[in-house]
Amino acid sequence: MSPDTTTALQQELLRRARARTAAAPLPPQQRADASEAEAVPARAPLSHAQRRMWLMDRLGRSDGAYSVPFATRLTGPFDLDAFGEALTALVARHAILRTRYGQQGDEPYQEALPAPDAVPVRVVDTGSPEASDLADVLSAEALLPFDLAAGTPPRALVLRHGPEDHTVMLTFHHINMDGHALEVVADELAALYARATGKAVPALPAPPQYADHARHEHAAAAGFGASLDHWSRRLDAAAPPALPRPAAPPADLAERPSATCLTPLGDTVLDGLRGVGRDRRATLFTVQLAAAFAALHRLTGESDLVIGCAAGLREGREAAALVGLCVNTLPIRVDLGGDPAFGTLVERVRDAVLEAQQHRHVPYDLVMERLGAAARGGDGAALVRVTADVLGEPTALRLPGLHTEAVDVALPQAKFDLSFGLVDTAQPAGLLQYARGALDDTTGQELGRSFAALLAAVAADPSLRLSDLPGAASPAPDRHPVESALRARPGVADAAAHRAPDGTLWAYAVLRERMGPSPTQLRAALRSSLPERDMPVAVTLLDSLPRRADGSLDPGALPGGPGALPAPGGPRADAVTEAFAHVLRRRPAADDDFFALGGHSLAAVRLAERLRTGLALPLTGLDVMEARTPRALTALLETRAAARAAAVAVRPAGRRAVRAGTVLVTGGTGGVGSFVLRELAAQGRPVLALARPESAHLVAGDGVEVVEGDLTDLDGLRRAVAGADAVIHAACTFTRPEVDVAAMRAMTEAWSGGPFVFVSSVDAYGRPDGAEVAEEAPPGPPLSPYGRGKLDCEALLLGAAGTGGRGGASAVRSPLVWGAHDRLRDQLRWGALGLLYQGLRANTPVTLPAPGTHGHPWYGAAWVHAAALARAVTACLDAPVHGVANAVSGHTGWPELTAELRTLLGSTSEVRYADHVHPDLDHRWYYAAGRLAGALRARPGEDFRTVLAAMTG
């Protein structure tokens, strides 16, 4: 093969290796007429790339982290109506832009919705804003969550700065958009806008549909065997690079989770880099990737490195018009041993990329699944934690008759721990982005500058060896990394590390307070910040460290290495070990950390479900994430087993006799349901409580009969409803709205008489325009999946009320619920207020939105005391509201709430105010609560200060 032929082949392959290029065959497809909405089968599987996005959404990453903002400044006569018409036509053409995502059993699916009559375009008059103000508005819009279960049409925002000056931003979810698809959108909107303004333009051909691409990918999976074998061999024993983490998380990590370093390059650098590539039959992308490998080698000192790059999955002229997520991640592994010249490294990288391209169709997730836990580092880091790319001119709308300019919209999150970029535009630059929790800030900024210097150096002289290139590994700290990491923990006053003569590393810590973190918790924390080589075998707690007269540590006076604690034994310990091994595919030691073994949120849910059903004991995914080790999780289960044994025995369902006036209560083991049970018991009402077998002992008691079941047992739900005279439905999955809706449908079908009360949420109001929200006010977009599920459940209930002999229905919408209950305490610590609580607990600065930010005078939270909510709910049994009522005890501003929590937690956190709003704090609504005001009237001990004290004590 001639050099020219090789270069042409590589250029073609690497052109597809970026998100804006084309790369995976589609089967022949039926095409509808271009003037009509596409007729596609109702449901299709998710592609592997979509499935990853869907899982991130299910795990709580619906806060805009995976938004794709597309903003353009338009100067000239802009026809807003024509733009709305063009956008509506675009959504009609591409079913992926009006697709919802559901779940049937364990499998997700995508389903195209009918084309809308009109896609709404929100218009905001801004006058002539400062650039910083404009950036804040666009970033806030981009961070608004999507509701994947309801559908993902693009959000359209038009900022009107003047009669002929506008900024237009379309926001897509990454599940249906990539870089290449943005180019398709820009081209088609230009043609559709021209037609809408009366210009004669040719009709667009009918586009390919993404559902066909997903089906094709699934059909092709059976032929991936040989390529999977290749990846298994190629990545055998590969490990992610060990990046120099900060000793302690940055104080402002929540507000600034990532950082960038952009360093301009000289006018001759790009031409020089292209010349390096031409001489070695390599593209600019390959040369830049080689520079990234060199910089990473200089940083870490490692010679066996993996960097990820994007590969497109479009191929052929027809697929070029495909809108959707069609990218895959290729892990490129290169050996940098022998101190090669940079030109030699380029050739090694070229060969590795060409080899990877031959197997690009195998989804990255399948490769990682084949590799298992071996694909993660000792600290739990993913194999591809570093990426590289060449960045061209950003995509902008190209509407005829207007001057257009792309507008950058910054998102706070970094998708990877470290990303190298080469900006290939009229203003060339070296770009580095890094996650501030994964890379020390000082190191990150220096790495960004040295990467640019490295690019300039190799462009001028590719014969330089790696050891001669700019950049160097971070200097070793004076203290052992274990000492620095332990000292950074809020509860640790002093720490030391000592390596015994046999090479065993031991750690010692002195706590600030007696009730501080346990040795197991400290060791688990070390796993999250240290590589395996720096992990001590144990952490021993001391009252003080032995020191010499000069203040230095006296190793000889340290207690001998503690003997290894025996591994826990018994059936529950065995079950925990087997569950870890089954879910994580690695058999753990007693003190191995769940996350270090490759665990994540979804795995925690699966592990908890396996243990819950196998041992018939209550356990949640949050329990797993807090316990983290088999030893701690076994101890938790032993405690719960003892509590169950000591509880009142539950009478089998077949032997109970339901009394007249019995109220069925779901969710009795939760924070709200437990208070409802107490209120009903105080009123002397007979209760039938629905509970899982392993949790039945938690609700059994005088006046309470238990029927076993849960929200997934639809027949059991129907039988329970049919056997009761009234229903209070307080159970909720929180993360699976389709399960909640199916449960409500089954319950309303079985409901034949008496009142029915549903504990709903103010999330069903969405994000209204006004600050005052009346009871039964219409929802404001966007609705979260949780809020949409509540709204759908309400519609089923209120639609059935009063028909077929059924009684009155009440949907009681609650905000944050506070009360002295473990579940409610967990929600305070880790739920909607977790940002404040954890920041204050760690004594890190807390940033609140200043009054007047984005034109809103107040930010804060509505809340209700659990006991008051229980009174309001039970009051609806005797006096249904026949609709929606709010249950609110009060509204507390963020400054007031933060001050109270700061006092209760003994926090020294600095409280700051800024003109931007973190998504977790973007709440500014007052909810009227007149219909249930009597029942909600506060009783002694129900003010917010008293209840917070009870929850934090």
Side-chain angles (χ1 to χ4, degrees), residues 482-483 486 492 494-498 506-510 538-542 545 553 555 558-562:
V482 170
E483 293 183 36
L486 284 173
V492 176
D494 202 358
H498 175 62
W506 300 94
Y508 303 86
V510 178
V539 177
T540 300
L541 298 182
L542 301 176
L545 292 177
L553 185 71
L558 288 170

Side-chain angles (χ1 to χ4, degrees), residues 45-65:
L46 270 60
S47 69
H48 284 277
Q50 282 184 310
R51 188 183 182 90
R52 193 181 313 128
M53 294 296 103
W54 178 81
L55 283 172
M56 291 298 101
D57 183 80
R58 295 300 299 272
L59 292 173
R61 295 295 301 275
S62 59
D63 57 355

Side-chain angles (χ1 to χ4, degrees), residues 266-437:
D267 294 339
T268 62
V269 172
L270 282 180
D271 286 342
L273 294 173
R274 288 190 174 94
V276 172
R278 278 194 304 272
D279 292 344
R280 291 157 183 84
R281 299 173 297 170
T283 62
L284 180 63
F285 173 84
T286 299
V287 176
Q288 183 270 345
L289 181 57
F293 272 109
L296 189 59
H297 167 73
R298 297 289 290 158
L299 173 70
T300 65
E302 298 177 23
S303 296
D304 182 6
L305 292 171
V306 175
I307 293 181
C309 67
L313 296 178
R314 294 176 177 87
E315 195 168 78
R317 294 178 58 186
E318 186 180 54
L322 179 62
V323 170
L325 179 57
C326 299
V327 292
N328 192 21
T329 299
L330 296 183
I332 308 298
R333 185 180 188 182
V334 173
D335 179 8
L336 288 82
D339 193 23
F342 181 77
T344 302
L345 177 61
V346 170
E347 293 169 354
R348 294 183 188 179
V349 173
R350 176 199 64 200
D351 294 343
V353 171
L354 285 171
E355 179 186 51
Q357 283 288 335
Q358 306 308 311
H359 306 276
R360 66 187 179 276
H361 295 304
V362 180
Y364 172 72
D365 289 350
L366 291 185
V367 176
M368 294 301 101
E369 184 177 318
R370 170 71 73 90
L371 295 174
R376 289 186 175 272
D379 59 354
L383 179 61
V384 173
R385 65 186 310 195
V386 181
T387 64
D389 200 0
V390 176
L391 309 172
E393 294 289 350
T395 304
L397 289 173
R398 298 181 279 271
L399 304 185
L402 295 163
H403 173 73
T404 65
E405 180 181 358
V407 177
D408 181 55
V409 181
L411 294 176
Q413 296 285 351
K415 298 298 188 296
F416 296 91
D417 287 344
L418 179 62
S419 294
F420 293 93
L422 172 62
V423 180
D424 180 11
T425 65
Q427 297 178 315
L431 176 66
L432 188 88
Q433 183 186 49
Y434 59 94
R436 298 178 67 233

Side-chain angles (χ1 to χ4, degrees), residues 16-389:
R16 301 169 186 164
R18 294 157 60 191
R20 58 179 179 273
T21 63
L26 292 174
Q29 303 171 29
Q30 294 291 331
R31 296 286 179 244
D33 184 85
S35 64
E36 299 177 0
E38 305 297 333
V40 295
R43 290 183 178 180
L46 270 60
S47 69
H48 284 277
Q50 282 184 310
R51 188 183 182 90
R52 193 181 313 128
M53 294 296 103
W54 178 81
L55 283 172
M56 291 298 101
D57 183 80
R58 295 300 299 272
L59 292 173
R61 295 295 301 275
S62 59
D63 57 355
Y66 289 96
S67 292
V68 180
F70 177 31
T72 306
R73 190 73 174 255
L74 305 176
T75 306
F78 175 52
D79 189 330
L80 181 61
D81 292 337
F83 179 75
E85 183 179 334
L87 183 59
T88 300
L90 178 80
V91 172
R93 283 173 51 76
H94 298 279
I96 189 64
L97 299 181
R98 45 185 167 84
T99 291
R100 64 176 294 271
Y101 301 86
Q103 183 177 6
Q104 187 168 12
D106 292 333
E107 286 302 312
Y109 62 83
Q110 55 183 308
E111 180 178 38
L113 300 173
D117 293 332
V119 174
V121 177
R122 187 161 67 95
V123 181
V124 177
D125 287 304
T126 66
S128 300
E130 296 291 333
S132 59
D133 294 336
L134 178 61
D136 287 345
V137 171
L138 296 179
S139 294
E141 172 72 12
L143 288 172
L144 292 176
F146 280 90
D147 181 358
L148 297 189
T152 53
R155 290 197 303 264
L157 172 67
V158 173
L159 303 180
R160 184 185 289 125
H161 314 308
E164 294 193 353
D165 186 8
H166 299 79
T167 297
V168 174
M169 185 166 85
L170 301 177
T171 307
F172 302 89
H173 194 286
H174 198 17
I175 200 168
N176 58 21
M177 187 60 56
D178 62 14
H180 176 89
L182 278 182
E183 291 287 345
V184 177
V185 166
D187 287 340
E188 292 198 1
L189 277 176
L192 295 169
Y193 178 84
R195 178 184 299 173
T197 56
K199 295 181 174 61
V201 294
L204 294 173
Q209 296 297 325
Y210 188 86
D212 293 322
H213 166 78
R215 292 189 184 95
H216 176 59
E217 183 182 273
H218 276 254
F224 288 158
S227 286
L228 276 172
D229 291 341
H230 161 81
W231 284 116
S232 296
R233 292 189 301 270
R234 189 72 182 89
L235 299 175
D236 181 44
L243 302 178
R245 290 177 178 269
D252 60 345
L253 183 62
E255 290 79 18
R256 259 197 343 122
S258 68
T260 59
C261 180
L262 183 70
T263 307
L265 297 174
D267 294 339
T268 62
V269 172
L270 282 180
D271 286 342
L273 294 173
R274 288 190 174 94
V276 172
R278 278 194 304 272
D279 292 344
R280 291 157 183 84
R281 299 173 297 170
T283 62
L284 180 63
F285 173 84
T286 299
V287 176
Q288 183 270 345
L289 181 57
F293 272 109
L296 189 59
H297 167 73
R298 297 289 290 158
L299 173 70
T300 65
E302 298 177 23
S303 296
D304 182 6
L305 292 171
V306 175
I307 293 181
C309 67
L313 296 178
R314 294 176 177 87
E315 195 168 78
R317 294 178 58 186
E318 186 180 54
L322 179 62
V323 170
L325 179 57
C326 299
V327 292
N328 192 21
T329 299
L330 296 183
I332 308 298
R333 185 180 188 182
V334 173
D335 179 8
L336 288 82
D339 193 23
F342 181 77
T344 302
L345 177 61
V346 170
E347 293 169 354
R348 294 183 188 179
V349 173
R350 176 199 64 200
D351 294 343
V353 171
L354 285 171
E355 179 186 51
Q357 283 288 335
Q358 306 308 311
H359 306 276
R360 66 187 179 276
H361 295 304
V362 180
Y364 172 72
D365 289 350
L366 291 185
V367 176
M368 294 301 101
E369 184 177 318
R370 170 71 73 90
L371 295 174
R376 289 186 175 272
D379 59 354
L383 179 61
V384 173
R385 65 186 310 195
V386 181
T387 64
D389 200 0

